[in-house]
Coordinates of all heavy atoms in Angstrom, one line a residue:
M2 N 41.3 59.8 5.6 CA 40.5 61.1 5.8 C 41.4 62.3 5.5 O 42.5 62.4 6.1 CB 40.1 61.1 7.3 CG 39.4 62.4 7.6 SD 39.1 62.6 9.4 CE 37.5 61.8 9.5
R3 N 41.0 63.1 4.6 CA 41.8 64.3 4.3 C 41.2 65.6 4.9 O 39.9 65.8 4.8 CB 41.8 64.4 2.7 CG 42.7 65.6 2.3 CD 42.8 65.6 0.7 NE 43.4 66.8 0.3 CZ 44.7 67.0 0.3 NH1 45.5 66.0 0.7 NH2 45.3 68.1 -0.1
I4 N 42.0 66.4 5.5 CA 41.5 67.6 6.1 C 42.1 68.8 5.3 O 43.2 68.8 4.9 CB 42.1 67.7 7.6 CG1 41.8 66.5 8.4 CG2 41.7 69.0 8.2 CD1 42.5 66.4 9.7
T5 N 41.2 69.8 5.2 CA 41.7 71.1 4.6 C 41.2 72.2 5.5 O 40.0 72.3 5.8 CB 41.1 71.3 3.2 OG1 41.5 70.2 2.4 CG2 41.6 72.6 2.6
V6 N 42.1 73.0 6.0 CA 41.8 74.2 6.7 C 42.0 75.4 5.8 O 43.2 75.7 5.4 CB 42.7 74.3 8.0 CG1 42.3 75.6 8.8 CG2 42.5 73.1 8.9
D7 N 40.9 76.1 5.5 CA 41.0 77.2 4.6 C 41.3 78.5 5.3 O 40.4 79.1 6.0 CB 39.7 77.3 3.8 CG 39.7 78.4 2.7 OD1 40.5 79.3 2.8 OD2 38.8 78.3 1.9
G8 N 42.5 79.0 5.2 CA 42.9 80.2 5.9 C 42.1 81.4 5.5 O 42.0 82.4 6.2
G9 N 41.6 81.4 4.3 CA 40.8 82.5 3.8 C 39.4 82.6 4.4 O 38.8 83.7 4.5
K10 N 38.9 81.5 4.9 CA 37.6 81.5 5.6 C 37.7 81.6 7.1 O 36.8 82.0 7.8 CB 36.9 80.2 5.3 CG 36.4 80.1 3.8 CD 35.5 78.8 3.7 CE 35.0 78.7 2.3 NZ 34.3 77.4 2.1
C11 N 38.9 81.2 7.7 CA 39.0 81.2 9.1 C 38.9 82.7 9.6 O 39.5 83.6 9.1 CB 40.4 80.7 9.5 SG 40.7 80.8 11.3
A12 N 38.1 82.8 10.7 CA 37.9 84.1 11.3 C 38.4 84.1 12.8 O 38.1 85.0 13.6 CB 36.4 84.5 11.3
G13 N 39.1 83.0 13.2 CA 39.7 83.0 14.5 C 38.8 82.7 15.6 O 39.1 83.0 16.8
H14 N 37.8 81.9 15.4 CA 36.9 81.5 16.5 C 37.5 80.5 17.4 O 37.1 80.3 18.6 CB 35.6 80.9 15.9 CG 34.8 81.9 15.2 ND1 34.1 82.9 15.8 CD2 34.5 82.0 13.8 CE1 33.4 83.6 14.9 NE2 33.7 83.1 13.7
A15 N 38.5 79.7 17.0 CA 39.3 78.8 17.8 C 38.5 77.6 18.3 O 39.0 76.9 19.2 CB 40.0 79.6 18.9
Q16 N 37.3 77.4 17.8 CA 36.6 76.2 18.3 C 37.2 74.9 17.8 O 37.1 73.9 18.5 CB 35.1 76.4 17.9 CG 34.4 77.5 18.5 CD 34.4 77.4 20.0 OE1 34.0 76.5 20.6 NE2 35.0 78.5 20.6
C17 N 37.8 75.0 16.7 CA 38.5 73.8 16.2 C 39.5 73.3 17.2 O 39.6 72.1 17.5 CB 39.1 74.0 14.8 SG 40.2 75.5 14.8
H18 N 40.3 74.2 17.6 CA 41.4 73.8 18.6 C 40.8 73.5 19.9 O 41.3 72.6 20.6 CB 42.4 75.0 18.7 CG 43.5 74.7 19.6 ND1 44.5 73.8 19.3 CD2 43.8 75.1 20.9 CE1 45.4 73.8 20.3 NE2 45.0 74.6 21.3
A19 N 39.7 74.1 20.3 CA 39.1 73.8 21.6 C 38.6 72.4 21.7 O 38.8 71.7 22.7 CB 38.0 74.8 21.9
V20 N 38.1 71.8 20.6 CA 37.5 70.5 20.7 C 38.5 69.4 20.0 O 38.3 68.3 20.3 CB 36.1 70.4 20.0 CG1 35.2 71.3 20.7 CG2 36.2 70.6 18.5
A21 N 39.4 69.9 19.3 CA 40.4 69.0 18.7 C 41.8 69.5 18.7 O 42.4 69.8 17.7 CB 40.0 68.7 17.2
P22 N 42.3 69.6 19.9 CA 43.6 70.3 20.1 C 44.8 69.5 19.5 O 45.9 70.1 19.3 CB 43.8 70.4 21.6 CG 42.9 69.3 22.2 CD 41.7 69.2 21.2
D23 N 44.6 68.2 19.3 CA 45.7 67.4 18.8 C 45.7 67.4 17.2 O 46.7 66.9 16.6 CB 45.5 65.9 19.2 CG 45.5 65.7 20.7 OD1 46.3 66.5 21.4 OD2 44.7 64.9 21.2
V24 N 44.7 68.1 16.7 CA 44.6 68.1 15.2 C 44.8 69.5 14.6 O 45.5 69.7 13.7 CB 43.2 67.6 14.7 CG1 43.1 67.6 13.2 CG2 43.0 66.1 15.2
F25 N 44.2 70.5 15.3 CA 44.2 71.9 14.8 C 45.1 72.8 15.6 O 44.8 72.9 16.8 CB 42.8 72.4 14.6 CG 41.9 71.5 13.7 CD1 41.0 70.7 14.3 CD2 42.1 71.6 12.4 CE1 40.2 69.9 13.4 CE2 41.4 70.7 11.5 CZ 40.4 69.9 12.1
E26 N 46.0 73.4 15.0 CA 46.9 74.4 15.7 C 46.4 75.8 15.4 O 45.9 76.1 14.3 CB 48.3 74.2 15.1 CG 49.0 72.9 15.5 CD 50.4 72.9 14.9 OE1 51.1 73.9 15.0 OE2 50.8 71.9 14.4
L27 N 46.7 76.6 16.4 CA 46.4 78.1 16.2 C 47.7 78.8 16.1 O 48.7 78.5 16.7 CB 45.6 78.6 17.4 CG 44.2 77.9 17.7 CD1 43.6 78.6 18.9 CD2 43.3 77.9 16.5
D28 N 47.6 79.9 15.3 CA 48.8 80.8 15.2 C 48.8 81.7 16.4 O 48.0 81.7 17.3 CB 48.9 81.5 13.8 CG 47.8 82.5 13.6 OD1 47.1 82.9 14.6 OD2 47.6 82.9 12.5
E29 N 49.8 82.7 16.4 CA 50.0 83.5 17.5 C 48.8 84.5 17.8 O 48.7 85.1 18.9 CB 51.3 84.3 17.4 CG 51.5 85.2 16.3 CD 51.8 84.5 14.9 OE1 52.0 83.3 14.9 OE2 51.9 85.2 13.9
V30 N 48.0 84.7 16.8 CA 46.8 85.6 17.0 C 45.5 84.8 17.0 O 44.4 85.4 17.0 CB 46.8 86.7 15.9 CG1 47.9 87.7 16.1 CG2 46.8 86.1 14.5
G31 N 45.6 83.5 17.1 CA 44.4 82.7 17.4 C 43.7 82.2 16.1 O 42.6 81.7 16.2
Y32 N 44.3 82.3 15.0 CA 43.7 81.8 13.8 C 44.3 80.3 13.5 O 45.4 80.0 13.9 CB 44.0 82.6 12.6 CG 43.2 83.9 12.4 CD1 43.2 84.8 13.5 CD2 42.4 84.1 11.3 CE1 42.4 85.9 13.4 CE2 41.6 85.3 11.2 CZ 41.6 86.2 12.3 OH 40.9 87.3 12.2
A33 N 43.4 79.5 12.9 CA 43.9 78.2 12.6 C 45.0 78.2 11.6 O 45.0 79.0 10.6 CB 42.7 77.3 12.1
V34 N 46.0 77.4 11.8 CA 47.1 77.3 10.8 C 46.6 76.5 9.6 O 46.1 75.4 9.7 CB 48.3 76.5 11.5 CG1 49.4 76.3 10.4 CG2 48.8 77.2 12.7
P35 N 46.6 77.2 8.4 CA 46.2 76.5 7.2 C 46.9 75.2 7.0 O 48.1 75.0 7.3 CB 46.5 77.5 6.1 CG 46.6 78.8 6.8 CD 47.1 78.5 8.2
F36 N 46.1 74.2 6.5 CA 46.6 72.8 6.4 C 45.8 72.1 5.4 O 44.6 72.2 5.3 CB 46.5 72.1 7.8 CG 46.9 70.7 7.8 CD1 48.2 70.3 7.8 CD2 45.9 69.7 7.8 CE1 48.5 68.9 7.7 CE2 46.2 68.4 7.8 CZ 47.5 68.0 7.8
A37 N 46.5 71.2 4.7 CA 45.8 70.3 3.8 C 46.6 69.0 3.8 O 47.8 69.0 3.5 CB 45.7 70.9 2.4
G38 N 45.9 67.9 4.2 CA 46.6 66.7 4.2 C 45.8 65.6 5.0 O 44.7 65.9 5.4
E39 N 46.4 64.5 5.2 CA 45.8 63.4 5.9 C 45.6 63.7 7.4 O 46.6 64.2 8.0 CB 46.5 62.1 5.7 CG 46.4 61.6 4.3 CD 45.0 61.2 3.9 OE1 44.3 60.5 4.6 OE2 44.6 61.6 2.8
A40 N 44.5 63.2 8.0 CA 44.4 63.3 9.4 C 45.4 62.4 10.1 O 45.7 61.3 9.6 CB 43.0 62.8 9.8
P41 N 45.9 62.8 11.2 CA 46.8 62.0 12.0 C 46.2 60.7 12.3 O 45.0 60.7 12.7 CB 47.2 62.8 13.2 CG 46.8 64.2 12.9 CD 45.7 64.1 11.9
P42 N 46.9 59.5 12.2 CA 46.3 58.2 12.5 C 45.6 58.2 13.9 O 46.2 58.7 14.9 CB 47.4 57.3 12.5 CG 48.4 57.9 11.6 CD 48.2 59.4 11.8
G43 N 44.4 57.7 14.0 CA 43.7 57.6 15.3 C 43.0 58.9 15.7 O 42.3 58.9 16.7
L44 N 43.2 59.9 15.0 CA 42.6 61.2 15.4 C 41.4 61.6 14.4 O 41.0 62.8 14.4 CB 43.6 62.3 15.5 CG 44.7 62.1 16.6 CD1 45.7 63.2 16.5 CD2 44.0 62.1 17.9
E45 N 40.9 60.7 13.7 CA 39.9 61.0 12.7 C 38.6 61.6 13.3 O 38.0 62.5 12.9 CB 39.6 59.8 11.8 CG 40.7 59.4 10.9 CD 41.7 58.5 11.5 OE1 41.6 58.2 12.7 OE2 42.6 58.0 10.8
E46 N 38.2 60.9 14.4 CA 37.0 61.3 15.1 C 37.2 62.7 15.7 O 36.3 63.6 15.6 CB 36.7 60.3 16.2 CG 35.3 60.4 16.7 CD 35.0 59.4 17.8 OE1 35.3 58.2 17.5 OE2 34.5 59.7 18.9
Q47 N 38.3 63.0 16.3 CA 38.6 64.3 16.8 C 38.6 65.4 15.7 O 38.0 66.5 15.8 CB 39.9 64.3 17.6 CG 40.2 65.6 18.4 CD 41.5 65.6 19.1 OE1 42.2 66.6 19.1 NE2 41.9 64.5 19.8
A48 N 39.2 65.0 14.6 CA 39.2 65.9 13.4 C 37.8 66.3 13.0 O 37.5 67.4 12.7 CB 40.0 65.3 12.3
G49 N 36.9 65.3 12.9 CA 35.6 65.5 12.5 C 34.8 66.5 13.5 O 34.1 67.3 13.0
R50 N 35.1 66.3 14.8 CA 34.5 67.2 15.7 C 34.9 68.6 15.6 O 34.2 69.6 15.7 CB 34.8 66.7 17.2 CG 34.0 65.5 17.6 CD 33.9 65.4 19.1 NE 35.3 65.2 19.7 CZ 35.8 64.0 19.9 NH1 35.2 62.9 19.5 NH2 37.0 63.9 20.4
G51 N 36.2 68.8 15.3 CA 36.8 70.1 15.0 C 36.2 70.8 13.8 O 35.9 72.0 13.9
A52 N 36.0 70.0 12.8 CA 35.4 70.6 11.6 C 34.0 71.0 11.8 O 33.5 72.1 11.4 CB 35.5 69.5 10.4
D53 N 33.2 70.1 12.5 CA 31.8 70.5 12.9 C 31.7 71.7 13.7 O 30.7 72.4 13.7 CB 31.2 69.3 13.6 CG 30.9 68.1 12.7 OD1 31.0 68.3 11.4 OD2 30.6 67.0 13.2
A54 N 32.7 72.0 14.6 CA 32.7 73.1 15.5 C 33.0 74.4 14.9 O 32.7 75.5 15.5 CB 33.7 72.8 16.6
C55 N 33.5 74.4 13.7 CA 33.9 75.7 13.1 C 32.6 76.5 12.5 O 32.0 76.0 11.6 CB 34.9 75.5 11.9 SG 35.3 77.1 11.1
P56 N 32.3 77.6 13.1 CA 31.1 78.3 12.6 C 31.3 79.0 11.2 O 30.3 79.4 10.6 CB 30.9 79.4 13.7 CG 32.2 79.6 14.3 CD 33.0 78.3 14.2
E57 N 32.5 79.0 10.7 CA 32.8 79.6 9.4 C 32.8 78.5 8.3 O 33.0 78.9 7.1 CB 34.1 80.4 9.4 CG 34.2 81.5 10.4 CD 33.2 82.6 10.2 OE1 32.8 82.8 9.0 OE2 32.8 83.3 11.2
G58 N 32.7 77.3 8.6 CA 32.9 76.2 7.6 C 34.2 76.2 7.0 O 34.4 75.9 5.8
A59 N 35.2 76.6 7.7 CA 36.6 76.7 7.2 C 37.3 75.4 7.1 O 38.4 75.3 6.4 CB 37.4 77.7 8.0
I60 N 36.8 74.4 7.7 CA 37.4 73.1 7.7 C 36.6 72.1 6.9 O 35.4 71.9 7.2 CB 37.6 72.6 9.2 CG1 38.4 73.6 10.0 CG2 38.3 71.2 9.2 CD1 38.5 73.3 11.4
T61 N 37.3 71.5 6.0 CA 36.6 70.5 5.1 C 37.2 69.1 5.4 O 38.4 69.0 5.5 CB 36.8 70.8 3.6 OG1 36.4 72.2 3.4 CG2 36.0 69.9 2.7
I62 N 36.4 68.1 5.5 CA 36.8 66.7 5.7 C 36.3 65.9 4.5 O 35.2 66.0 4.1 CB 36.2 66.1 7.0 CG1 36.6 66.9 8.2 CG2 36.5 64.7 7.1 CD1 37.9 66.6 8.8
E63 N 37.2 65.2 3.9 CA 36.9 64.2 2.9 C 37.3 62.8 3.3 O 38.5 62.6 3.7 CB 37.6 64.6 1.6 CG 37.2 65.9 1.0 CD 38.2 66.4 -0.1 OE1 39.1 67.0 0.3 OE2 37.9 66.0 -1.2
N64 N 36.4 61.9 3.2 CA 36.7 60.5 3.6 C 37.2 59.7 2.4 O 36.9 60.1 1.3 CB 35.5 59.9 4.2 CG 35.2 60.5 5.6 OD1 36.0 60.6 6.5 ND2 34.0 61.0 5.8
Ligands
F3S13 FE1 39.2 79.4 12.3 FE2 37.0 78.0 12.4 FE3 39.0 77.2 13.8 S1 37.1 80.2 12.3 S2 40.2 79.1 14.3 S3 39.0 77.3 11.6 S4 36.9 77.3 14.5

């Protein structure tokens, strides 16, 4: 499972971190830290919930 967090779309809603704190990090002002890469092993379900929670569609999941 590949995760992409698009920093250009993130508006700082922080819902990704609220529901998937082990997958998505926030920076000092509450925006998701941009990331592209494989989901941490065992955290795929959490990653999916985080992506679904983002109202901006800033997180893309590819299986
Ligand atoms: Fe940003 Fe969406 Fe998370 S707007 S902080 S990626 S919920």
Side-chain angles (χ1 to χ4, degrees):
M2 173 190 273
R3 183 175 171 80
I4 303 170
T5 304
V6 179
D7 184 341
K10 289 185 178 175
C11 176
H14 293 289
Q16 293 305 303
C17 54
H18 182 72
V20 302
D23 301 323
V24 179
F25 301 105
E26 292 180 43
L27 302 181
D28 67 16
E29 63 280 357
V30 290
Y32 281 58
V34 176
F36 172 79
E39 289 298 311
L44 294 176
E45 291 87 353
E46 198 176 309
Q47 190 180 135
R50 284 199 298 273
D53 289 345
C55 178
E57 303 293 336
I60 302 171
T61 306
I62 299 281
E63 295 167 272
N64 291 306

